Amino acid sequence: MIEVSRGGKTFGSTPVLIDVDLHVEPGAIAVVLGRSGSGKTTLLRAIAGFERLDTGRIVLAGTVVDDDERHLDARHRRVGYVPQDGALFPHLPVEANIAFGLRPGRQRRARVAQLLELTGLDDLGRRYPHELSGGQRQRVALARALAPEPAVILLDEPFSSLDAELRAELRADVAQLLRDAGTTAVVVTHDRDEAMAIADTVTVLANGRMVAAGTPRELYENPPDPIAARFLGVANLLPAHRLNGSMRSVLGPCGDGARTPIRGVHLLRPEQLSICTDRQPDAVPGTVESVVFGGATSTVTVGLDTAPEQTVTVVAPETGVAHLLPGSRIWVRATAPGVLLPSR
């Protein structure tokens, strides 16, 4: 449905997109994840037709809409766009906001009624934007974008202005709405939890370049490099080296070493480590630096004796670490092999 090939864009002398590729299957929700300034909004605007690429090509539903020879205007691309703030018309009620891009007539009224029901706004059609909550306004913005039945819908940081609880609730609802409507969607965000929660595929941008792409599970469990590993979650990255034909770090083996470089990085996620209060086989001694209570689990930062200035983060059941304080002596062991990554 969406194919961006070697997309490049420069503003002045500053490259914003550098040889970016993006592939989105029909009906999928693709998330572009990156920090502020990574180029993700520029990529979204290029797909929408608001920006023209300097190099590369964009294909939507089999039609070339942007390349060296052509640039199809945004209004002809059948793309719905939801900006960060929703951009509702304050002088129009909900029904009129949703109907704004539709032709007058019976079909228009039926489409608005259908979308009000789909977005759970059945009783709010006559209210004005200032009479709605933040989550309700975002639903109206989504309904308005869906009204003309676009081939693709693009959402730019759609939940960033909402509080944490509402953000988690609304993103699940929006993902379900998009899947129910069968709409292909691209969402840009800097929030990795958001990306992991709603995406079928994730593309990670850093400094205008694509550094990783895959399903959330693939990228979390087996990222291509340390940069992508950090983007997709808390990452313990330990120097690894070859020893007796295998690769290992201070916390154990992390590869067979047969086809790997002499040095690499051992990735262990916080849940792949455990804490012991007495010496255990394959456990490494260390000192607790901090304990952050998180309800059922707590996050413990530990300085390792065997790796000066190296700390690891462990997520452990609260019942097992409630007694720990900064300065407590403990042992850390790996409960999973983790992944060997190339050094970068």
Side-chain angles (χ1 to χ4, degrees), residues 20 36 64 112 139 179 186 209 238 243 259 270 290 313 338-339:
V20 172
S36 297
V64 177
V112 170
R139 289 171 186 266
R179 291 191 168 94
V186 179
R209 297 183 183 274
L238 305 170
L243 181 65
R259 294 181 299 277
S290 67
T313 301
V339 178

Side-chain angles (χ1 to χ4, degrees), residues 291-330:
V291 181
V292 179
F293 175 71
T297 61
S298 287
T299 301
V300 184
T301 302
V302 182
L304 300 179
D305 290 3
T306 52
E309 300 183 3
Q310 178 73 60
T311 62
V312 294
T313 301
V314 184
V315 173
E318 169 61 17
T319 53
V321 298
H323 63 287
L324 295 181
L325 297 171
S328 298
R329 295 289 294 165
I330 49 85

Side-chain angles (χ1 to χ4, degrees), residues 104-269:
R106 182 179 301 173
Q107 289 184 335
R108 180 186 190 183
R109 293 192 295 271
R111 180 63 173 158
V112 170
Q114 179 187 34
L115 287 165
L116 286 171
E117 181 180 359
L118 183 67
T119 54
L121 300 169
D122 313 55
D123 301 326
L124 305 177
R126 297 187 181 278
R127 291 194 185 181
Y128 287 83
H130 71 273
E131 298 175 314
L132 304 176
S133 68
Q136 290 167 340
R137 287 194 294 271
Q138 284 300 95
R139 289 171 186 266
V140 176
L142 178 62
R144 185 178 62 185
L146 287 170
E149 299 183 89
V152 173
I153 191 162
L154 309 174
L155 300 96
D156 185 4
E157 300 271 11
F159 316 115
S160 60
S161 63
L162 306 176
D163 62 69
E165 183 176 355
L166 180 57
R167 187 162 62 242
E169 178 183 341
L170 187 61
R171 71 191 181 203
D173 291 344
V174 167
Q176 191 59 53
L177 285 171
L178 292 170
R179 291 191 168 94
D180 289 345
T183 304
T184 305
V186 179
V187 182
V188 303
T189 182
H190 64 274
D191 187 326
R192 67 188 179 207
D193 293 335
E194 191 170 291
M196 301 290 274
I198 68 174
D200 294 311
T201 61
V202 176
T203 297
V204 180
L205 289 187
N207 300 319
R209 297 183 183 274
M210 185 187 78
V211 297
T215 67
R217 184 179 297 277
E218 287 169 351
L219 293 184
Y220 184 79
E221 294 181 349
N222 194 16
D225 56 42
I227 295 174
R230 290 192 181 98
F231 263 102
L232 270 296
V234 178
N236 295 304
L237 299 169
L238 305 170
H241 59 279
R242 191 190 302 270
L243 181 65
N244 298 327
S246 66
M247 297 293 288
R248 61 183 297 120
S249 70
V250 293
L251 286 174
C254 51
D256 59 17
R259 294 181 299 277
T260 57
I262 294 176
R263 296 187 183 277
V265 178
H266 189 188
L267 166 64
L268 286 160
R269 297 294 185 184

